[in-house]
Amino acid sequence: MTQRLAAAQAKAHEVLASAPDSEVPFIRGLEDRFGELQARYRDYGRAAEAVFAVLSTENPDREQVAIATAELRQEENSIGREIRVLRAALSNRIRERVDGAEERERTTGLFIIGFSVAAIAVGVGATAWSARTLRPMRNLIRGVSRIGRGDYNAQLGVRGD
């Protein structure tokens, strides 16, 4: 377990190099917690050795065995609590990051939809504006075509400049 904790602490240190500034305090906290767990496992090892030392005597004293066993269980419980707290902290942090990513994804999707609707509206508006703007040109072309066919009484029907 000590090797696993050392590997986890090394991994946290490695991640720290590429982590965003907002994550640095959390990762440093993880490194510290891994170090504390390593110290607790060393204490656990000493407590286990104490139990074995008491039990390896010719006539183990029940009271000493009970005391050594109680200390060992206390270390186990302490380590178990710390691991559960660490697991919860990691799970919460991961959930926070996933929730944040999902929120950014939703926001980005809404912006894409909004910009798409705006682009369609601009396209429809430009089409309507160009049709309205070019209407006098169509009237002029029709009138010129009639004159070209020989209808010299044709009105062009174009007002303005």
Side-chain angles (χ1 to χ4, degrees):
M1 189 53 112
T2 304
Q3 291 173 345
R4 286 183 178 175
L5 287 170
Q9 195 173 23
K11 190 62 160 175
H13 188 71
E14 180 184 324
V15 167
L16 191 61
S18 61
D21 292 339
S22 62
E23 294 298 316
V24 169
F26 180 75
I27 295 171
R28 286 209 172 113
L30 284 179
E31 283 181 315
D32 294 342
R33 282 183 166 177
F34 289 140
E36 291 170 12
L37 272 174
Q38 283 178 320
R40 288 201 175 164
Y41 267 104
R42 283 191 293 273
D43 293 343
Y44 177 78
R46 283 189 220 111
E49 287 174 11
V51 169
F52 290 123
V54 169
L55 290 173
S56 64
T57 61
E58 255 184 62
N59 287 327
D61 182 14
R62 287 185 180 266
E63 189 174 320
Q64 286 180 342
V65 171
I67 291 171
T69 305
E71 287 177 9
L72 183 63
R73 284 191 181 125
Q74 183 180 0
E75 288 296 332
E76 279 181 13
N77 291 335
S78 175
I79 289 170
R81 273 192 305 273
E82 183 63 29
I83 288 174
R84 283 190 295 277
V85 167
L86 184 58
R87 181 180 292 142
L90 284 169
S91 294
N92 288 340
R93 194 59 162 211
I94 289 168
R95 175 58 28 214
E96 287 173 9
R97 294 297 164 242
V98 168
D99 289 346
E102 288 173 349
E103 181 61 31
R104 286 189 299 277
E105 183 180 356
R106 276 191 295 276
T107 302
T108 302
L110 290 175
F111 275 121
I112 289 171
I113 290 169
F115 285 132
S116 298
V117 168
I120 291 170
V122 167
V124 167
T127 302
W129 178 77
S130 65
R132 185 167 188 225
T133 305
L134 295 176
R135 190 175 307 140
M137 290 299 289
R138 274 189 251 125
N139 291 339
L140 180 64
I141 291 171
R142 272 190 239 128
V144 169
S145 294
R146 286 173 62 196
I147 292 172
R149 288 190 303 255
D151 183 6
Y152 298 112
N153 294 328
Q155 298 276 329
L156 294 181
V158 176
R159 291 183 228 135
D161 294 334

